[in-house]
Amino acid sequence: MLFMVEMTVRIPHSLDPQVADKIKAEEKAYSQQLQRDGKWRHLWRVAGQYANVSIFDVKDADELHTILTALPLYPYMEMQVTALAQHGSATAQN
């Protein structure tokens, strides 16, 4: 199943900068592994914001939930999840 996930990161200013940097490094490593594994298919930055729009290709909503809640930045994120379906007018099957 394909899901579009819009993520906005809101790290509190009170968080120790060294802790924040460690969490960001862990997030980068985890997200890149998910991309290599084919689970995180697309990742786009939203210009001018600490936010992204991503496409995940997972077995079901439960797998997506497991992946998202394991993100190191998850406690500092607001997310909007949308299930996607193939469009009848699309020229390519995804």
Side-chain angles (χ1 to χ4, degrees):
M1 290 186 73
L2 294 177
F3 291 89
M4 176 181 69
V5 182
E6 299 171 80
M7 303 178 205
T8 301
V9 181
R10 300 193 192 289
I11 298 174
H13 296 295
S14 60
L15 188 64
D16 181 300
Q18 290 180 329
V19 173
D21 288 344
K22 181 178 183 295
I23 293 169
K24 290 176 193 176
E26 292 169 353
E27 178 87 9
K28 182 176 182 176
Y30 180 57
S31 68
Q32 289 180 342
Q33 185 59 54
L34 289 166
Q35 290 171 69
R36 285 189 290 275
D37 293 344
K39 300 287 183 182
W40 198 323
R41 295 252 312 257
H42 300 278
L43 172 60
W44 294 280
R45 177 176 308 285
V46 177
Q49 298 179 34
Y50 195 172
N52 73 73
V53 175
S54 296
I55 304 296
F56 287 84
D57 188 356
V58 293
K59 182 179 73 172
D60 55 26
D62 290 328
E63 182 181 15
L64 179 65
H65 179 79
T66 299
I67 288 170
L68 295 178
T69 58
L71 290 168
L73 283 170
Y74 178 78
Y76 311 107
M77 288 183 170
E78 296 174 10
M79 295 186 197
Q80 178 71 37
V81 177
T82 305
L84 301 175
Q86 185 67 39
H87 195 286
S89 296
T91 58
Q93 298 296 312
N94 294 315

